[in-house]
Amino acid sequence: MLQVTNVSLQFSTRKLFEEVNIKFTPGNCYGLIGANGAGKSTLLKIFSGELEPTTGEVSITPGERLAVLKQNHFEYEQFPVLETVIMGHKRLYDVKMEKDAIYAKGEHMTDEDGMRAAELEGEFLEMNGWEAESEAAILLKGLGISEALHTKYMADLAGPEKVKVLLAQALFGNPDILLLDEPTNNLDIRAVQWLENFLLNFENTVIVVSHDRHFLNKVCTHMCDLDYGKVQLYVGNYDFWYESSQLAQRLMSESNKKKEEKIKELQNFIARFSANASKSKQATSRKKLLEKITLDDIKPSSRRYPFVGFTPEREVGNDLLTVEDISKTIDGEKVLNQVRFIVNKGDKIAFVGRNDLAITALFKILMEEMEPDTGTFKWGVTTSRAYFPKDNSAFFDDCEENLVNWLRQFSPKDDSESFLRGFLGRMLFSGEEVNKKASVLSGGEKVRCMLSRMMLSGANVLLFDDPTNHLDLESITALNEGMKNFKGTILFTSHDHEMIQTVANRIIEITPNGIIDKMTTYDEYLESEEIQKQVEAMY
């Protein structure tokens, strides 16, 4: 168990949070959420002991072990992969190293060495040390690290592979308390699914920070909302927290209603979520806890949600896009191999695959930013396109214009300052913020500007290349709603499971040997054994 008592943290004159009191108990997975800059990662560092709070203390039940997902991907460059994973259990690793060093003395071992080795062997056995390598190998395999890489050095691995090894390191040895900061970053969908199943069967305490709503919904039994400098604990997953927060906002704004009517609305709301929660593997007691919630337990959030809405200027015809046998090789790797498909009116297509570069290359070709090696494509005459590139640096680097003037160049109909300021306000740029230079914006601010540019275009076909990078949960939710409500056609790729599931009506997976094209939802695509056999055959 991890107990947090009266924890506060202050930087200079700013209080990040104060008097945090919370108890994290075994068998539960806690999602730590909050607006960007609220201090989620900082709070995790306090929990792990990496950072000292200004006041208060964090205590762990004596004898329990805490594991943390490391963020420095280059920390273990000189170590083999399998050894790096085992280092996640420090005491086990230290015992193994000391034991091996004694045995390496061979005939020069002393009686004292022999006695010490015997002690270490006993401790090693208690920690299940003889199973360490096989356990580490199982974790690595589950995350998609092939056996051929297990003996390689970390320095030889690609970035996404290092992330998986460090995740396996955190999971290794059945820690009593597990702290995970953005564990799904750089994971492919199959690795994310494996991690979800691992955590669903994990019997100890998990505290996780993530921007992946589907992941939070799948694994979390509780949400810890960092807001107003406090941490409020909610029973339930992310969707329950979000809906309850929205309900609280409505109840506050409708203060003239009778309390009985509000209570009835709350009861209906709880009943709906209790029914959903009862299906979850981890939620045996969650249903009862939900039913005990009172009106006073639900508090409105201070979060601000941008408005994302795309309105096409004209309806698209039936002839949208035809792609014929496009192939492309980049740096000696064939990323696109005779890709062919036809886009139909009303399609919202999610492009998926194990190689993000392949999808980016396809989108660049379709937007005439890159030439295919072979093959052709043709857009219909009634189509107008707006494109969200994965790399938006060309739009902002060295741009000394303020946000009003930056946006003005993309506003063909109304370039008045009042219109542009109002538009920026809906995207959470208010007051003096609109006078910022475009070149100094944060990653999330740049994404919101790029979305504004697309909204102003009036296009009837939208292309998005991983648009949720750098966005907080509030902006991701707003973008998701905007894409769902768009009346035109969308071609997009994303690592956000919820976005693909709720927006796409068609899935195209790009493989090294062509494409798999299915009219289906994302969940049905992933769950279909027939489709998965077809996918594996194409790799």
Side-chain angles (χ1 to χ4, degrees):
M1 183 181 72
L2 188 148
Q3 175 106 29
V4 182
T5 308
N6 294 327
V7 163
S8 302
L9 186 67
Q10 184 166 339
F11 292 118
S12 186
T13 58
R14 183 195 174 199
K15 274 191 176 180
L16 200 57
F17 38 79
E18 59 181 340
E19 294 182 1
V20 174
N21 290 280
I22 193 166
K23 183 188 295 184
F24 299 99
T25 57
N28 292 317
C29 179
Y30 300 85
L32 181 57
I33 59 173
N36 280 357
K40 301 182 293 295
S41 295
T42 302
L43 196 54
L44 281 189
K45 289 179 180 179
I46 290 176
F47 293 167
S48 69
E50 184 181 343
L51 186 66
E52 284 290 327
T54 307
T55 64
E57 64 176 6
V58 175
S59 59
I60 296 174
T61 302
E64 291 192 345
R65 186 171 69 87
L66 181 145
V68 181
L69 173 59
K70 299 290 183 66
Q71 298 299 315
N72 182 359
H73 301 164
F74 304 100
E75 187 174 345
Y76 300 91
E77 296 289 86
Q78 73 275 30
F79 294 99
V81 167
L82 207 61
E83 188 174 328
T84 300
V85 175
I86 296 172
M87 291 169 77
H89 192 324
K90 187 177 185 305
R91 182 55 191 163
L92 172 61
Y93 180 75
D94 289 346
V95 168
K96 181 180 183 298
M97 290 296 101
E98 186 179 353
K99 182 167 66 75
D100 291 348
I102 291 174
Y103 292 140
K105 293 181 180 182
E107 61 184 23
H108 300 293
M109 278 180 60
T110 65
D111 290 343
E112 290 78 7
D113 287 334
M115 292 175 62
R116 178 58 179 160
E119 292 175 5
L120 293 171
E121 286 290 4
E123 189 176 356
F124 192 67
L125 184 63
E126 285 180 9
M127 292 186 290
N128 203 29
W130 293 109
E131 303 296 325
E133 289 194 2
S134 60
E135 181 189 338
I138 290 170
L139 291 171
L140 289 168
K141 185 178 178 182
L143 288 166
I145 300 296
S146 66
E147 192 171 339
L149 295 176
H150 293 187
T151 55
K152 298 279 188 183
Y153 282 86
M154 288 290 284
D156 298 327
L157 269 57
E161 293 169 337
K162 291 178 182 178
V163 171
K164 291 180 178 181
V165 175
L166 293 179
L167 181 55
Q169 181 192 74
L171 303 178
F172 175 75
N174 194 35
D176 299 287
I177 300 162
L178 184 57
L179 305 183
L180 301 175
D181 193 354
E182 296 292 355
T184 63
N185 279 3
N186 295 304
L187 294 189
D188 56 78
I189 184 59
R190 287 161 185 83
V192 173
Q193 287 178 308
W194 180 91
L195 178 60
E196 288 173 350
N197 290 328
F198 180 93
L199 294 178
L200 283 170
N201 291 296
F202 188 71
E203 296 180 352
N204 299 331
T205 305
V206 182
I207 306 172
V208 60
V209 172
S210 177
H211 285 96
D212 187 329
R213 297 164 297 162
H214 181 272
F215 180 75
L216 292 174
N217 281 330
K218 190 75 178 286
V219 305
C220 289
T221 59
H222 298 71
M223 302 308 298
C224 301
D225 182 25
L226 181 51
D227 201 6
Y228 302 107
K230 305 281 187 180
V231 176
Q232 178 75 25
L233 181 65
Y234 291 86
V235 178
N237 59 17
Y238 177 77
D239 274 353
F240 179 80
W241 169 83
Y242 176 74
E243 293 291 344
S244 63
S245 175
Q246 297 299 301
L247 172 62
Q249 293 282 11
R250 290 199 304 273
L251 296 184
M252 282 188 65
S253 64
E254 298 170 0
S255 57
N256 59 328
K257 276 192 174 183
K258 293 179 181 178
K259 189 169 183 179
E260 289 78 9
E261 293 177 359
K262 294 180 182 180
I263 290 173
K264 186 176 180 181
E265 183 177 359
L266 175 63
Q267 289 171 338
N268 292 336
F269 170 73
I270 297 296
R272 178 160 54 89
F273 270 90
S274 293
N276 291 338
S278 65
K279 298 175 185 176
S280 172
K281 192 170 185 179
Q282 289 191 0
T284 307
S285 60
R286 196 189 311 174
K287 185 174 185 291
K288 293 180 180 178
L289 292 170
L290 284 172
E291 290 169 345
K292 293 178 182 178
I293 292 175
T294 66
L295 198 62
D296 294 333
D297 292 328
I298 293 183
K299 296 179 174 61
S301 170
S302 67
R303 311 284 209 290
R304 294 191 302 157
Y305 291 80
F307 170 78
V308 179
F310 306 99
T311 305
E313 285 187 357
R314 65 172 179 172
E315 187 176 352
V316 73
N318 292 323
D319 185 16
L320 271 84
L321 172 65
T322 301
V323 176
E324 292 282 353
D325 297 327
I326 283 182
S327 296
K328 183 68 180 180
T329 297
I330 299 176
D331 295 332
E333 180 185 0
K334 196 165 194 176
V335 296
L336 299 173
N337 186 8
Q338 294 191 319
V339 172
R340 55 161 53 199
F341 59 88
I342 295 173
V343 176
N344 305 305
K345 187 175 181 179
D347 276 348
K348 291 185 177 179
I349 307 173
F351 289 81
V352 301
R354 299 180 190 177
N355 188 350
D356 290 349
L357 179 61
I359 303 171
T360 294
L362 176 63
F363 283 10
K364 284 186 173 182
I365 289 169
L366 296 180
M367 294 305 296
E368 299 182 352
E369 293 184 3
M370 179 185 287
E371 289 288 332
D373 296 335
T374 60
T376 61
F377 67 92
K378 183 179 179 182
W379 288 102
V381 294
T382 60
T383 61
S384 54
R385 282 88 63 194
Y387 174 45
F388 182 100
K390 180 171 286 189
D391 181 6
N392 58 39
S393 57
F395 290 87
F396 299 97
D397 288 354
D398 304 320
C399 180
E400 298 303 305
E401 297 284 359
N402 64 29
L403 297 193
V404 172
N405 290 331
W406 183 91
L407 192 59
R408 181 173 279 124
Q409 61 187 314
F410 306 114
S411 182
K413 289 188 175 180
D414 190 343
D415 64 356
S416 66
E417 181 153 341
S418 60
F419 170 77
L420 295 173
R421 276 181 170 271
F423 201 91
L424 288 166
R426 287 184 291 173
M427 296 302 288
L428 307 184
F429 296 105
S430 57
E432 292 302 308
E433 287 184 316
V434 300
N435 293 322
K436 282 184 178 179
K437 291 181 180 179
S439 59
V440 303
L441 296 178
S442 68
E445 289 172 331
K446 289 177 181 177
V447 171
R448 282 187 273 130
C449 283
M450 292 298 291
L451 294 175
S452 298
R453 169 180 171 269
M454 293 182 74
M455 286 190 280
L456 284 170
S457 71
N460 52 30
V461 180
L462 306 178
L463 290 85
F464 295 95
D465 190 355
D466 224 350
T468 61
N469 281 353
H470 305 294
L471 288 183
D472 56 22
L473 281 165
E474 294 71 49
S475 297
I476 291 172
T477 301
L479 173 59
N480 199 154
E481 288 300 307
M483 292 171 68
K484 279 167 55 179
N485 296 330
F486 179 58
K487 302 301 182 185
T489 295
I490 300 178
L491 283 63
F492 74 104
T493 185
S494 175
H495 287 94
D496 189 290
H497 185 120
E498 189 77 9
M499 177 173 286
I500 300 177
Q501 172 62 17
T502 56
V503 173
N505 60 6
R506 180 178 171 188
I507 308 294
I508 293 181
E509 179 153 2
I510 297 180
T511 80
N513 296 304
I515 69 166
I516 298 166
D517 187 350
K518 298 292 181 182
M519 292 292 297
T520 181
T521 67
Y522 193 40
D523 283 346
E524 289 169 346
Y525 184 86
L526 294 173
E527 291 167 5
S528 168
E529 291 184 10
E530 180 184 347
I531 291 175
Q532 291 315 306
K533 287 179 182 177
Q534 187 179 353
V535 170
E536 292 305 321
M538 295 286 281
Y539 279 93

